[in-house]
Amino acid sequence: MAQGVGNLTAGLIGGIPITSVIVRTSINIQAGSTSKISTILHGFFIFFAVMLIPGTLNKIPLSSLAAILIYTGYKLNKPSIYRNIFAQGSDRFIPFIVTVVCIIVFNLLTGILIGLAVSLFYILKSNSQARINILKEIHPTGEINRLVLPQQMTFLNKAALVAELDSIPRESQLIIDARYTQYIDKEISELLKEFKEEQAPNKKIALNMIGFKEHYKIHNYIDFINVTTYDVQSHLSPAEVLNILYEGNQRFLNDNLIHRSNQLDIKHTAKAQHPIAIVLGCIDSRVPVETIFDVSFGDIFCVRVAGNVVNNDVLASIEYACNVVGVKLIIVLGHTRCGAIQSACDGVEKGHITELLDKIKPAIDAENETETNRHSKNTTFVNNVTDLNVANTIQKIYERSSILHQMIEKNDIAMVGAVYNVQTGKVHYSNYAHELNQLGGKNNEHLASKLNALLKESKIKI
C-alpha cells in the first residue's frame, strides 16, 4: 500500500514513480501490447487475483516464481544491451557493469549507490578535462583572442583557465565567451573578476566579456568595440583586406563564425561607415556576401546585380566606395550555377532581361574551348563562361572608369576576381590571366599582372 500511495502521489505532482516495475512493462510489450491499457489490465488482473483467490496464490511454490523471474530476467538481459553501452565508451560502460555486478553480489540499494559513486567519478573526470579553447580571429581591427568557456565551469577547470589566461600576450585583445556555459561556480567567478580588474589592466589587455547570464556573480563587460573605424580602414593595405576576407571565408567553411553583438555594431556604425572592401556580386539568394566572408555592419559595401555585370550605375557605386569613402579593395564575385550565366548561354530573350544578358555575351563569345553543346546543360562550358564573365567585368571596370584606373595604377586600391562555389561555400580566387587573354585587349596582360601581384602579396594560393 505504501508503494502504491507513493507512486500515486509522485504521479500527481509530476514526479517519477518511486518504484517503477520495468520488467512488467517489458513483458507486456513482448506479449504484443500496443498501448498503456495493457498496464491497467495487468493491474486489474493482479488486484482480482489477490482479492478472489489469495489462497491459491499462496500455494504457488516460491521456487516456481523464482524460475519465472530468472527466465524473464534472462530474456530481458540481451547481449545487444551490453554491446550498445560498450560502444558508448568506458565512461558509460564501467558504471553500468559495476552497478550490475554490485546488485548481484550485494543487494539492489547497495549496488545502485556504488554505481552512482562510480558515475559521479566519471562526471567529475569529464568536467576536469573539459577543453577551454582559445581561438585567434582576424578582424578588420586586428587579431583578437577568443576564450570559449565550456558548459560547466567548476573548481576542476580552474588550473586550465589560469593557464590559458596567463598565455594571453600583453597589449592584445581578448573576448571571454560564456555563451555556451550553463554553470559557473563562485571560485571561477572570482578568478575572472580578478583577471578583469587586475591582470588585464596590468598587461594592457583590452577585454570583452560576453554571454554571462544575469544570475552569475560576474557580468558582461565591453572594453573595446570591434567595428571598422577610419584609422583601421586607412592603415590597411589591399592585400591585408583580401587576407581578412579570405580568413572570414575560412571561418564560414568551418562553421566557426565570429560572434558579434548586432546591437553594439549598429550603435557604433550609425554615425559613420568606413568599409574596407566593395564586392560586386550576383543577386543569387545562395550567395549572402556578408555571411560567406563573415563580416558585419560597416565592414564592406556590396553591389548586387544578376550576373555580376557592370553598367554606369555600378561603376558610379564603386567609384563612390573607393574614391569618396576610402575602400581599399574591389572584388568581382561570380558564382557557380548562376542562373544569369545559364540563361545567357541558352540565348534567353525576355523583357529587360535581354539587355542584361547581352552584357554576358562577350564572355560566351570568348569561350573557345567548347565546340559543341554550348548551352546551360554543359557544366564545363557554363563554368568557363562564369570565369570569363568575372574577367570581363574586371576588364570593364578597369577600362571604363578613369578614376578607378588611376587609383589601381597608383596602388591606392586593388581589384581581384573570384568565384563562389554554391555547393561547398568556398571562394576561389584567380589572376584570370588565361581568361583576360581570351577576351583580348591591349591592357589585359598588365591587368593580369596587377591581379597576380595582389594574390602573391596576400599569400593566397590559386
Side-chain angles (χ1 to χ4, degrees):
M1 288 183 66
Q3 179 179 314
V5 172
N7 283 344
L8 284 171
T9 305
L12 289 172
I13 63 175
I16 62 174
I18 295 172
T19 303
S20 179
V21 186
I22 300 172
V23 173
R24 294 177 188 170
T25 304
S26 300
I27 292 173
N28 285 344
I29 293 172
Q30 290 180 8
S33 63
T34 57
S35 70
K36 295 180 180 180
I37 295 176
S38 63
T39 303
I40 297 172
L41 291 175
H42 192 136
F44 275 121
F45 289 147
I46 294 175
F47 175 76
F48 289 133
V50 171
M51 295 298 294
L52 299 176
I53 53 172
T56 304
L57 292 177
N58 285 328
K59 291 180 180 180
I60 299 174
L62 293 179
S63 57
S64 299
L65 294 175
I68 292 172
L69 288 174
I70 291 172
Y71 179 73
T72 303
Y74 169 76
K75 293 287 287 184
L76 292 173
N77 195 25
K78 298 178 181 178
S80 60
I81 295 175
Y82 291 86
R83 288 196 298 269
N84 290 337
I85 297 178
F86 181 78
Q88 295 176 22
S90 60
D91 58 332
R92 295 291 184 89
F93 182 72
I94 292 177
F96 168 75
I97 202 69
V98 167
T99 303
V100 171
V101 171
C102 289
I103 287 174
I104 295 172
V105 173
F106 302 107
N107 56 59
L108 179 63
L109 182 59
T110 303
I112 290 175
L113 290 174
I114 294 174
L116 285 173
V118 175
S119 297
L120 181 61
F121 167 77
Y122 277 98
I123 291 171
L124 293 175
K125 180 183 177 184
S126 175
N127 284 344
S128 66
Q129 294 176 343
R131 294 181 61 187
I132 301 176
N133 295 323
I134 290 187
L135 307 175
K136 293 189 181 297
E137 301 171 342
I138 299 178
H139 295 244
T141 55
E143 185 177 271
I144 295 177
N145 298 290
R146 181 182 297 273
L147 191 152
V148 183
L149 302 181
Q151 286 188 339
Q152 304 293 327
M153 285 298 296
T154 67
F155 67 94
L156 297 170
N157 307 110
K158 184 175 180 179
L161 180 59
V162 169
E164 296 294 352
L165 291 175
D166 287 344
S167 71
I168 303 299
R170 295 180 62 85
E171 299 182 0
S172 60
Q173 293 181 319
L174 171 65
I175 299 174
I176 299 179
D177 190 345
R179 288 177 297 143
Y180 309 107
T181 307
Q182 297 177 354
Y183 172 76
I184 298 178
D185 73 14
K186 185 176 180 180
E187 193 167 351
I188 297 297
S189 295
E190 291 298 326
L191 174 63
L192 292 173
K193 185 177 180 181
E194 180 184 342
F195 179 82
K196 169 192 165 186
E197 296 177 353
E198 298 180 16
Q199 291 176 261
N202 290 339
K203 295 175 69 174
K204 297 182 180 179
I205 295 173
L207 176 65
N208 284 357
M209 302 178 70
I210 63 172
F212 289 85
K213 298 177 177 61
E214 291 184 3
H215 61 272
Y216 292 160
K217 298 294 183 182
I218 191 167
H219 303 293
N220 290 341
Y221 173 75
I222 302 297
D223 187 33
F224 63 92
I225 302 301
N226 185 31
V227 297
T228 307
T229 63
Y230 172 77
D231 287 339
V232 171
Q233 181 199 62
S234 59
H235 285 89
L236 285 173
S237 69
E240 289 172 330
V241 172
L242 183 55
N243 278 331
I244 289 169
L245 298 180
Y246 173 80
E247 291 292 336
N249 183 239
Q250 294 301 305
R251 291 193 300 272
F252 171 74
L253 289 172
N254 296 325
D255 202 17
N256 189 31
L257 300 179
I258 292 172
H259 172 75
R260 295 177 171 88
S261 171
N262 290 335
Q263 292 304 313
L264 278 176
D265 288 356
I266 290 171
K267 176 182 177 181
H268 289 92
T269 56
K271 293 183 179 180
Q273 60 173 337
H274 304 284
I276 57 176
I278 180 167
V279 179
L280 170 55
C282 183
I283 63 170
D284 197 291
S285 62
R286 299 165 296 177
V287 192
V289 175
E290 287 85 354
T291 303
I292 66 175
F293 288 117
D294 191 20
V295 291
S296 186
F297 298 93
D299 288 336
I300 64 172
F301 281 118
C302 186
V303 180
R304 302 187 68 167
V305 58
N308 45 276
V309 297
V310 67
N311 58 25
N312 289 338
D313 294 329
V314 171
L315 280 176
S317 298
I318 300 174
E319 288 175 352
Y320 171 79
C322 297
N323 191 248
V324 178
V325 182
V327 159
K328 297 296 183 68
L329 180 67
I330 304 167
I331 299 181
V332 178
L333 183 66
H335 68 92
T336 60
R337 299 188 174 185
C338 177
I341 299 291
Q342 292 172 339
S343 297
C345 290
D346 289 337
V348 172
E349 294 184 2
K350 191 173 185 179
H352 293 291
I353 299 174
T354 305
E355 183 181 350
L356 184 143
L357 297 183
D358 283 343
K359 294 178 172 60
I360 301 175
K361 284 186 177 179
I364 297 173
D365 295 338
E367 207 283 339
N368 54 20
E369 298 176 5
T370 305
E371 295 182 0
T372 60
N373 298 322
R374 293 172 64 87
H375 50 68
S376 64
K377 301 296 182 182
N378 186 341
T379 303
T380 302
F381 174 63
V382 172
N383 289 342
N384 290 343
V385 173
T386 299
D387 288 333
L388 282 160
N389 186 56
V390 170
N392 184 52
T393 299
I394 291 172
Q395 184 186 65
K396 292 292 185 287
I397 293 171
Y398 186 73
E399 292 179 350
R400 290 177 55 183
S401 172
S402 59
I403 292 175
L404 298 174
H405 183 102
Q406 291 175 10
M407 294 183 76
I408 291 171
E409 289 304 309
K410 292 179 181 179
N411 295 320
D412 294 332
I413 64 171
M415 183 161 50
V416 69
V419 172
Y420 172 77
N421 190 318
V422 297
Q423 292 175 283
T424 66
K426 185 173 183 178
V427 177
H428 297 268
Y429 296 91
S430 173
N431 59 20
Y432 291 96
H434 176 64
E435 288 78 11
L436 288 168
N437 183 58
Q438 286 180 287
L439 288 164
K442 60 181 180 179
N443 294 318
N444 283 349
E445 187 174 338
H446 175 66
L447 180 55
S449 69
K450 281 282 188 182
L451 300 177
N452 196 52
L454 174 66
L455 292 170
K456 282 186 176 180
E457 186 181 352
S458 64
K459 299 179 181 179
I460 292 177
K461 295 181 180 180
I462 59 174

